[in-house]
């Protein structure tokens, strides 16, 4: 216990120290939200990866999908690396950086308002961001708290409150730069932690070969079959849990799409491309981010795929309900104390980095796109007349203060949900990702490439993504939230394309001016 407490205290002290170190760069809006748009490839890549993978993945997704699909769950990690990281950086990195700088956009709602010349889009997008980032944040709390409860014996509620307070401290002090530096430190811990834990867990199962042979013998239990409403095991064959594509490849594909493609439309992920320093940093970041995802995401799902080798009775709660979120913590419970400390630091690192990105995104969106909504011309320049430098500086500082207050507000709300969680971690994340990426992915990505996207098509996609997710939730989730999220994202492209064809086009001069950003190519 002394070792576990010592390592955790050292880690937490370092994160707070980074916040103090970065505070001088967080006095302006540009510095607080985007790190002055001067963050290098390494820091951006690790910020992207650590925001991507949190306790939601390590505890919630790895446990649930490892149980459902066996070893084939590893494909989710591969999809996260190839689609969620490599292709995201290639297709979005450079164009996002160039266009957002050109139109002076600081947030995703700001992008929608300026790119499509409609301030109402900016307002509605900011409300969507604020509302649907809350369940995701609650899921992050739940994941880390379960690991702390297992490793330290501290009640779940205390863990959630402690993590919230510490994250708030370093984000409020140092803003995005503190978050990025801490993400780098936390990313190193995640890389070392996941590789070590996998090696030890497999060794406990007699090695990789023996673990695979044992997985080939496993079949769904009676409880699996009794609650299999989606027909996941309808065509199950012996050995499916150790096969390449598992018991249900199509269902697995839906998870890959949601968890991989979804990052392209999430404001806390895309925002990383706003702040990167130059094109060479993007090239470095692409490689680093992809390798990071292969190791961390691939490792998490690979580890979770062996969950059925452990005693299933340990995964039930007192009322007899099977809890997917208990699988990974129970798998790790037999590890030596030093490794449990490493696991706690691993998940703490992943969760605090994700939480920091979420609260910073939400607070900056509410401040810049709702409370202090600067009007812009079609060129993205702030209008309203010239102001004295002292007045401008005061307004900037006031905005930063408001963002810091909203960080606390956002953390409190999501903490309250986490203390009374309505669903499993994976479902919370599915609802959040489905609504956000379903609404934003298509109009954001197509807006970077296609001049023909219309304002009405963006409105239609907002209604489609949020409407489908909310209606599905209100009528009792007849479509699994994860599958619903995948449908919302892919369907968004069809919605934007069709509506754009049949609705009035944006002024040609306005669109041509915005797309001049790619001619500078710098």
């Amino acid at each position: 216990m002394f070792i576990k407490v010592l390592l955790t205290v050292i880690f937490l002290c370092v994160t707070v120290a980074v916040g103090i170190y970065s505070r001088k760069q967080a006095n302006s809006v540009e510095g607080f939200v985007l790190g002055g748009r001067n963050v290098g490839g390494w820091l951006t890549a690790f910020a992207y990866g650590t925001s991507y993978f949190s306790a939601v993945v390590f505890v919630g997704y790895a446990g649930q999908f490892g149980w459902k699909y066996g070893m084939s769950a590893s494909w989710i990690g591969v999809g996260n690396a190839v689609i969620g990281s490599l292709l995201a950086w290639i297709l979005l990195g450079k164009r996002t950086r160039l266009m957002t700088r050109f139109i002076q956009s600081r947030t995703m709602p700001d992008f929608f308002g300026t790119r499509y010349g409609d301030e109402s889009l900016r307002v509605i997008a900011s409300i969507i961001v604020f509302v649907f980032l809350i369940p995701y944040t609650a899921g992050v709390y739940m994941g880390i708290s379960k690991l702390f409860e297992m490793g330290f014996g501290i009640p779940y509620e205390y863990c959630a409150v402690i993590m919230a307070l510490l994250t708030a401290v370093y984000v409020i002090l140092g803003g995005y730069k503190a978050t990025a530096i801490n993400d780098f430190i936390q990313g190193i811990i995640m890389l070392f932690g996941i590789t070590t834990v996998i090696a030890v867990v497999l060794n406990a199962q007699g090695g990789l070969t023996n673990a695979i042979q044992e997985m080939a013998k496993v079949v769904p239990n009676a409880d699996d079959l009794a609650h299999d409403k989606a027909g996941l095991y309808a065509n199950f064959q012996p050995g499916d849990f150790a096969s390449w594509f598992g018991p249900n490849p199509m269902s697995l594909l839906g998870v890959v799409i949601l968890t991989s493609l979804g990052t392209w439309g999430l404001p806390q992920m895309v925002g990383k491309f706003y702040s990167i320093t130059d094109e060479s940093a993007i090239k470095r970041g692409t490689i680093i981010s992809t390798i990071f995802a292969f190791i961390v995401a691939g490792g998490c799902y690979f580890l979770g795929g062996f969950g059925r080798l452990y005693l299933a009775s340990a995964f039930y709660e007192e009322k007899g309900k099977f809890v997917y979120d208990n699988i990974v913590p129970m798998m790790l419970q037999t590890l030596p104390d030093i490794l449990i400390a490493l696991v706690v630091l691993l998940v703490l690192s992943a969760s605090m980095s994700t939480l920091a990105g979420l609260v910073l995104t939400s607070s900056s969106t509410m401040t810049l796109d709702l409370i202090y909504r600067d009007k812009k011309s079609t060129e993205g320049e702030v209008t309203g007349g010239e102001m004295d430098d002292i007045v401008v500086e005061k307004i900037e500082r006031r905005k930063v203060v408001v963002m810091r207050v909203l960080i606390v507000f956002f953390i409190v709300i999501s903490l309250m949900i986490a203390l009374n969680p309505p669903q499993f971690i994976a479902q919370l994340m599915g609802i959040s990702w489905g609504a956000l990426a379903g609404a934003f992915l298509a109009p954001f990505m197509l807006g970077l490439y296609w001049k023909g996207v219309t304002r009405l098509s963006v409105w239609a996609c907002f209604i489609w993504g949020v409407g489908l997710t909310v209606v599905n939730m209100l009528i009792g989730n007849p479509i699994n939230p994860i599958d619903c999220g995948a449908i919302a994202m892919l369907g968004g492209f069809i919605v934007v394309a069709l509506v754009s064809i049949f609705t009035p086009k944006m002024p040609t001069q306005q669109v041509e001016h915005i797309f001049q950003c790619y001619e500078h190519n710098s």
Side-chain angles (χ1 to χ4, degrees):
M1 182 59 71
F2 173 75
I3 294 174
K4 288 188 283 189
V5 172
L6 178 64
L7 290 177
T8 304
V9 169
I10 292 173
F11 169 80
L12 297 176
C13 287
V14 169
T15 60
V16 174
V18 168
I20 296 172
Y21 167 77
S22 307
R23 72 187 187 282
K24 291 182 180 179
Q25 302 177 47
N27 293 325
S28 67
V29 172
E30 197 85 351
F32 191 82
V33 178
L34 299 174
R37 294 189 191 263
N38 193 33
V39 182
W42 279 88
L43 288 183
T44 304
F46 272 75
Y48 186 93
T50 54
S51 294
Y52 194 166
F53 310 115
S54 67
V56 173
V57 172
F58 189 77
V59 177
Y61 271 23
Q64 175 170 337
F65 300 129
W67 185 267
K68 286 184 174 181
Y69 306 111
M71 293 183 59
S72 66
S74 301
W75 283 110
I76 305 172
V78 174
N80 292 172
V82 175
I83 302 172
S85 296
L86 178 63
L87 290 180
W89 278 74
I90 291 174
L91 296 177
L92 300 180
K94 180 179 177 181
R95 283 183 172 257
T96 299
R97 175 183 171 272
L98 291 174
M99 187 174 284
T100 56
R101 286 197 178 203
F102 188 75
I103 64 176
Q104 299 181 11
S105 170
R106 293 164 169 169
T107 66
M108 184 176 272
D110 189 11
F111 172 88
F112 288 124
T114 308
R115 165 65 178 85
Y116 298 108
D118 188 340
E119 282 297 298
S120 298
L121 281 174
R122 184 180 178 187
V123 173
I124 296 302
S126 65
I127 294 173
I128 293 172
V129 169
F130 190 77
V131 170
F132 286 98
L133 281 186
I134 291 175
Y136 185 17
T137 309
V140 174
Y141 282 118
M142 292 167 60
I144 180 57
S145 299
K146 286 182 178 294
L147 261 296
F148 251 96
E149 194 169 9
M150 179 272 290
F152 290 85
I154 302 174
Y156 165 79
E157 293 79 8
Y158 296 144
C159 299
V161 172
I162 291 170
M163 189 181 76
L165 289 173
L166 291 168
T167 305
V169 168
Y170 83 76
V171 177
I172 288 172
L173 284 174
Y176 182 75
K177 197 61 178 285
T179 301
I181 295 173
N182 272 325
D183 287 348
F184 182 78
I185 297 170
Q186 293 159 355
I188 297 295
I189 296 172
M190 290 167 67
L191 289 172
F192 178 71
I194 192 64
T195 51
T196 303
V197 168
I198 289 173
V200 173
V201 168
L202 289 179
N203 184 62
Q205 294 295 330
L208 177 60
T209 302
N210 187 69
I212 294 174
Q213 291 173 349
E214 291 300 313
M215 282 297 298
K217 301 175 184 177
V218 177
V219 297
N221 58 34
D223 194 56
D224 291 326
L225 299 174
H227 295 90
D228 188 22
K229 297 179 181 179
L232 186 66
Y233 307 117
N235 300 308
F236 187 87
Q237 298 294 322
D240 273 356
F241 285 130
S243 66
W244 279 98
F245 299 107
N248 196 317
M250 291 307 298
S251 177
L252 177 63
L253 180 62
V255 179
V256 173
I257 292 172
L258 176 73
T259 61
S260 302
L261 193 61
T263 59
W264 299 20
L266 296 179
Q268 75 273 19
M269 302 297 296
V270 175
K272 303 296 186 291
F273 300 133
Y274 286 42
S275 59
I276 197 164
T277 179
D278 53 38
E279 189 173 341
S280 62
I282 293 175
K283 293 178 180 178
R284 289 194 302 274
T286 302
I287 298 170
I288 297 164
S289 178
T290 304
I291 294 172
F292 183 90
F294 263 118
I295 296 173
V296 174
C300 285
Y301 289 110
F302 180 73
L303 177 67
F306 293 98
R308 285 185 179 267
L309 298 182
Y310 291 77
L311 192 61
S313 59
F315 306 145
Y316 288 84
E317 61 180 15
E318 294 179 0
K319 297 180 180 178
K321 187 176 182 179
F322 190 88
V323 181
Y324 290 115
D325 301 341
N326 288 341
I327 295 175
V328 171
M330 291 298 179
M331 290 175 66
L332 303 175
Q333 212 165 26
T334 57
L335 294 178
D337 280 350
I338 187 66
L339 285 181
I340 289 180
L342 179 63
V343 169
V344 170
L345 287 183
L346 185 164
V347 183
L348 183 62
S349 298
S351 300
M352 289 183 70
S353 58
T354 302
L355 182 59
L358 292 171
V359 298
L360 189 58
T361 298
S362 183
S363 65
S364 61
T365 294
M366 290 294 288
T367 302
L368 302 178
D369 299 315
L370 280 181
I371 300 174
Y372 288 98
R373 186 156 48 94
D374 296 324
K375 293 184 179 180
K376 293 186 179 182
S377 66
T378 56
E379 289 78 22
E381 297 172 348
V382 178
T383 61
E386 295 183 3
M387 290 186 289
D388 185 88
D389 289 343
I390 297 177
V391 176
V392 172
E393 185 178 348
K394 285 183 178 179
I395 294 174
E396 287 281 291
R397 289 182 179 275
R398 196 177 302 156
K399 289 178 181 178
V400 173
V401 170
V402 172
M403 278 189 274
R404 285 171 166 150
V405 172
L406 284 174
I407 284 172
V408 176
F409 175 67
F410 184 77
I411 284 179
V412 170
I413 292 177
S414 52
L415 180 60
M416 290 171 64
I417 295 176
L419 296 178
N420 298 280
Q423 301 200 34
F424 291 133
I425 292 176
Q427 275 63 44
L428 284 174
M429 186 174 173
I431 292 169
S432 175
W433 280 42
L436 288 167
F440 295 158
L441 172 55
F444 180 81
M445 182 176 177
L446 293 177
L448 297 174
Y449 282 89
W450 183 25
K451 298 177 182 179
V453 180
T454 65
R455 292 189 185 98
L456 287 178
S457 73
V458 181
W459 280 110
C461 198
F462 283 7
I463 295 170
W464 159 259
V466 174
L468 179 63
T469 306
V470 172
V471 169
N472 185 62
M473 180 177 62
L474 292 177
I475 61 178
N477 293 317
I479 306 174
N480 183 286
I482 294 157
D483 295 335
C484 183
I487 294 169
M489 280 183 273
L490 294 177
F493 286 96
I494 299 173
V495 170
V496 172
L498 289 177
V499 176
S500 292
I501 292 172
F502 297 106
T503 53
K505 301 295 183 286
M506 292 181 60
T508 302
Q509 185 178 359
Q510 178 182 338
V511 176
E512 290 295 337
H513 177 82
I514 290 174
F515 273 77
Q516 284 179 9
C517 64
Y518 300 137
E519 296 175 10
H520 298 286
N521 195 28
S522 60

